């Protein structure tokens, strides 16, 4: 079944990882599953050895590994990478450089939870993003 609207919202309250993988095909790819004014969720599917560049963000971000093995090289603890396997949550604070390195012998899947916004920054910004919640 094709996913006509891959973004979770008030009318689509559930989505299946296997369906997303079938629609998107083999890695590498990234697919937003939540995109609102205050949170973004992106499924990222990568082959071993397809590492992300060294970057930071002006907001905190975190992930959960769903499949495979991934190392996070995080600024300040380069000699002790976070070695993540399915079920591992990984957190990197705003303004902290990091590199994400899928490894092992099979593709990895992770769910990234972030703020909508700037994406990868290769120079450290002067301040964190400002986020205002209205009630």
């Amino acid at each position: 079944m094709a996913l006509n609207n891959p973004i979770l919202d008030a009318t689509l309250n559930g989505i299946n990882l296997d369906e997303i993988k079938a629609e998107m095909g083999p890695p590498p790819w990234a697919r937003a599953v939540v995109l609102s004014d205050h949170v973004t969720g992106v499924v990222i599917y990568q082959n071993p050895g397809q590492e992300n560049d060294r970057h930071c963000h002006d907001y905190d971000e975190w992930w959960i590994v769903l499949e495979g093995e991934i190392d996070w090289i995080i600024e300040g603890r380069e000699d002790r990478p976070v070695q993540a396997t399915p079920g591992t949550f990984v957190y990197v604070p705003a303004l902290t450089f990091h590199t994400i390195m899928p490894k092992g012998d099979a593709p990895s899947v992770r769910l990234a939870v972030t703020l909508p916004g700037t994406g990868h920054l290769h120079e450290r910004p002067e301040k964190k993003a400002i986020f205002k919640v209205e009630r």
Side-chain angles (χ1 to χ4, degrees):
M1 168 179 116
L3 300 171
N4 295 327
N5 179 0
I7 306 297
L8 293 172
D9 62 20
T11 61
L12 179 63
N13 300 112
I15 194 168
N16 182 281
L17 178 59
D18 290 332
E19 291 177 13
I20 295 169
K21 287 169 64 176
E23 180 178 295
M24 296 295 293
W29 51 258
R31 166 61 78 78
V33 293
V34 175
L35 183 57
S36 70
D37 58 354
H38 64 282
V39 69
T40 299
V42 178
V43 173
I44 303 163
Y45 195 28
Q46 286 181 288
N47 285 313
Q50 292 179 325
E51 72 180 57
N52 290 56
D53 59 353
R54 184 175 184 269
H55 65 277
C56 69
H57 300 270
D58 60 356
Y59 49 79
D60 300 336
E61 65 179 333
W62 63 274
W63 305 261
I64 182 169
V65 176
L66 303 173
E67 297 177 4
E69 302 173 50
I70 307 171
D71 282 355
W72 268 262
I73 310 299
I74 300 171
E75 180 180 17
R77 56 169 296 161
E78 290 86 355
D79 60 334
R80 294 171 293 131
V82 174
Q83 298 175 331
T85 56
T88 303
F89 291 85
V90 179
Y91 172 80
V92 175
L95 312 181
T96 303
F97 280 97
H98 55 283
T99 303
I100 301 169
M101 303 175 60
K103 61 181 202 169
D105 56 5
S108 63
V109 178
R110 67 188 182 274
L111 174 66
V113 180
T114 68
L115 290 176
T118 57
H120 291 195
L121 301 172
H122 297 99
E123 293 184 23
R124 194 181 324 270
E126 292 183 22
K127 60 183 180 179
K128 296 179 183 181
I130 297 172
F131 182 70
K132 181 180 177 186
V133 177
E134 295 181 13
R135 295 179 193 247

